[in-house]
Amino acid sequence: MRRAAVLGKGRLAVHACQTVAAMPDTVLDTVIPNAPEPEWDVSLTGCVTERWPDTRLLHSGDWRDLEPGRCHLVVSALYNKIIGSSLINATDKIINCHPGRLPQYRGARPVNWALHNGEHLHGVTVHVIDAGIDSGPILGEVQFSIWPEVDEVRDVWDRSMRHAQHLLSDVLPRLGHITPRQQDEAQAVTHYLRDSDQLGDRADWTRAASGMA
């Protein structure tokens, strides 16, 4: 029986848990919710306690508390820490679901940056986790239209989460059959949280809220 862990927050991490738990010969062994969990999304802790009571919950929020080699599959779904090499190297398959196009929108707040940049195309990407920031080979992706003239960050975020759930449902059961595709480093752009002050009126869920800050 293959043991799996899910790290992250909110409804996307809950969906990852649900998808993993339904996979043949796989048990949802460990869940590490972000600490603290956001109040604006569903509680991953609450959902795991209710739906998968035998699953181990690590409330520290720290990936280091997951013993290297314990789980064969690790899924990051909006996890808020950079996972280190000790876990990466000891895990058969370790993947991340990133709410942005890669390699153009690596790093923090890809939805905000896409709208700030006036993009008309956004995406969600599932990729292998490596030592970089969202730089690992791509396993699956979906792209969709956005309209920066009318869309708020909240609109595109909600749309991204819907697409992300479908993408995880497609990719996770097929991991053993997918050949990862390397990212094009020539197109790579990484955004950091320290750059958020450059987002202007796209720094918050809505432009009105950003203007009041």
Side-chain angles (χ1 to χ4, degrees), residues 12 16 19 35 37 42 46 51 61 65 77 80 97 99 122 132 134 137-138 142 150 157-158 180 193 205:
L12 185 60
T19 304
E37 294 189 68
V42 301
R51 301 184 194 182
D65 291 334
N80 61 350
C97 186
H122 193 58
D134 301 320
I138 292 172
V142 61
V150 295
W157 177 263
D158 288 343
L193 282 175
W205 286 115

Side-chain angles (χ1 to χ4, degrees), residues 93-168:
K93 295 186 183 299
I94 181 165
I95 70 168
N96 178 49
C97 186
H98 178 70
R101 287 189 292 148
L102 294 178
Q104 297 91 340
Y105 284 92
R106 294 177 180 175
R109 311 186 77 181
V111 170
N112 304 66
W113 281 108
L115 287 168
H116 172 77
N117 292 341
E119 298 278 10
H120 285 82
L121 191 68
H122 193 58
V124 174
T125 312
V126 173
H127 66 93
V128 176
I129 294 176
D130 64 8
I133 298 175
D134 301 320
S135 56
I138 292 172
L139 295 163
E141 60 188 343
V142 61
Q143 298 187 5
F144 52 92
S145 294
I146 61 175
W147 299 272
E149 300 81 8
V150 295
D151 275 333
E152 300 289 357
V153 170
R154 183 182 298 278
D155 300 324
V156 179
W157 177 263
D158 288 343
R159 209 175 301 148
S160 298
M161 291 303 98
R162 293 196 297 272
H163 284 289
Q165 290 181 36
H166 287 299
L167 186 60
L168 281 176

